[in-house]
Amino acid sequence: MEQGTMTFPENEYSSIVNRLNQGKTCYTTRVYKELGIYREGVKYNTPWNQTIVVIQIQQFNKIADHPFYKELTPAQREEIYRYSEKADKSYELIAFKLIEK
């Protein structure tokens, strides 16, 4: 069952597509209004016309607990902090992979 489209910033498209096409798991962080939208085990279309499935969703309360904290840019860290920890909310780390059609 597909449930709409999972959105991504356009500047992330090529890196995500490359990882998906290599059979790798990808991750995205969701904050603020995007919390709770996506569900484990559900398939989603991507803006570049591939189908993915969410394989895991983890919730965190502090940016320092982000599993990829060291890989995040300062701007990414600030955005996550501003919309989660500073706003007294959590954030979600979503793992997904490509579904072959």
Side-chain angles (χ1 to χ4, degrees):
M1 175 175 80
E2 291 185 15
Q3 184 175 320
T5 299
M6 184 179 283
T7 60
F8 301 90
E10 284 187 38
N11 64 339
E12 294 180 5
Y13 284 16
S14 63
S15 64
I16 293 171
V17 169
N18 286 338
R19 286 187 59 81
L20 289 173
N21 289 338
Q22 293 172 17
K24 296 180 179 179
T25 299
C26 294
Y27 299 87
T28 185
T29 302
R30 300 303 163 122
V31 296
Y32 190 52
K33 292 180 181 178
E34 291 189 298
L35 290 174
I37 291 177
Y38 304 106
R39 303 276 182 240
E40 286 183 20
V42 176
K43 297 175 186 176
Y44 297 93
N45 292 316
T46 65
W48 52 86
N49 296 316
Q50 288 182 308
T51 303
I52 58 172
V53 63
V54 172
I55 55 176
Q56 184 179 35
I57 299 175
Q58 295 176 282
Q59 199 169 68
F60 297 93
N61 294 317
K62 297 199 178 296
I63 183 63
D65 295 335
H66 195 291
F68 303 108
Y69 181 80
K70 291 180 180 179
E71 287 88 8
L72 296 172
T73 67
Q76 290 170 321
R77 291 178 190 173
E78 174 56 31
E79 184 174 22
I80 294 168
Y81 174 79
R82 184 170 14 117
Y83 287 109
S84 61
E85 196 171 333
K86 185 175 181 183
D88 200 28
K89 298 193 183 292
S90 58
Y91 67 89
E92 295 175 339
L93 181 67
I94 300 174
F96 58 95
K97 65 180 182 178
L98 181 65
I99 296 292
E100 298 296 331
K101 290 187 176 184

